[in-house]
Amino acid sequence: MPGGFTHGTRSSEVETQIKGFLAVKNPVVIIGTAPINQGNLENVNKITLIQTTTDAAVEFGGAANLPGFTISEALYVGLQIFPTRPIIVVNVLDPNEHSVTENLEDIPVLNKTINLSRVGIIKESLEVKNAANSIAIDDYTATFKTDGTLNIKLAETLNVTAVDVEYVYLDPSLVTEADIIGSINPDTLERKGLELIHDIFPKYSMIPSYVITPRFNSNALRAILDTKASIINDKWGSMSIFDIPDDTAYGSAIE
């Protein structure tokens, strides 16, 4: 106001000629096997961004270190031990290819409870029958324990002393290095395995920093991964890190 005074502070904005830089995060990329039976059973050969343990729980059942599942081991280290975020995960374990049907008979029921020690059971495939008469039992709840095994709780109204059980379980030992390497479908252009590295930037605007394939570490795979990781989308490069074989002596590891 002409001739007046302004008390306090005031501010105004003007457009700057300096433009800010786009911050691009560099995630660690993990390609391996995950217990998708506890999370999203459809998460096969897809790139999945993991920022929190909640993300890991929704897609892969959590970040517990389950034996045989290489992605679980890596997520456990990245989310529980070291603050490694973000993480991009590619699970190549396919229930249609890497699974086994198992039958168990005369399993004793204790306090209406049956504990199945197999890790990787697909709950949707579970069939429970009374061992005495082979009549199907539907009145139960099945929940996963923290170690990946399955707990079955029968309804209190049931008087059953033993059951027969049939289920399909994921078997990560059936996954081969060919599954890790992956391919491109010539008809649909659908990518699998390592080929999915090229889809990370278009989807998430992120450039991988390191690419790892835990427990898969042959010389042939190492050469392929080095090539795939060094030239991403014909523009960027990242690094590949391989496990040292478990039976390698300390001196040999240094060499």
Side-chain angles (χ1 to χ4, degrees), residues 65-102:
N65 186 4
L66 301 184
F69 294 93
T70 61
I71 288 174
S72 292
E73 178 183 355
L75 288 179
Y76 173 76
V77 174
L79 297 176
Q80 308 282 31
I81 306 300
F82 302 105
T84 306
R85 298 178 181 88
I87 300 172
I88 297 287
V89 174
V90 175
N91 166 62
V92 301
L93 192 157
D94 188 341
N96 297 319
E97 299 178 14
H98 312 118
S99 61
V100 177
T101 300
E102 188 168 49

Side-chain angles (χ1 to χ4, degrees), residues 104-153:
L104 301 176
E105 297 181 347
D106 290 319
I107 304 174
V109 177
L110 302 175
N111 298 321
K112 308 293 183 181
T113 302
I114 305 105
N115 292 308
L116 302 178
S117 59
R118 177 70 67 183
V119 176
I121 294 175
I122 299 174
K123 284 200 299 184
E124 292 79 3
S125 70
L126 186 63
E127 296 182 7
V128 182
K129 296 181 180 179
N130 188 334
N133 52 27
S134 297
I135 295 177
I137 298 174
D138 298 320
D139 198 2
Y140 65 85
T141 57
T143 55
F144 290 107
K145 299 167 67 175
T146 55
D147 62 357
T149 59
L150 192 65
N151 178 278
I152 300 174
K153 183 71 173 180

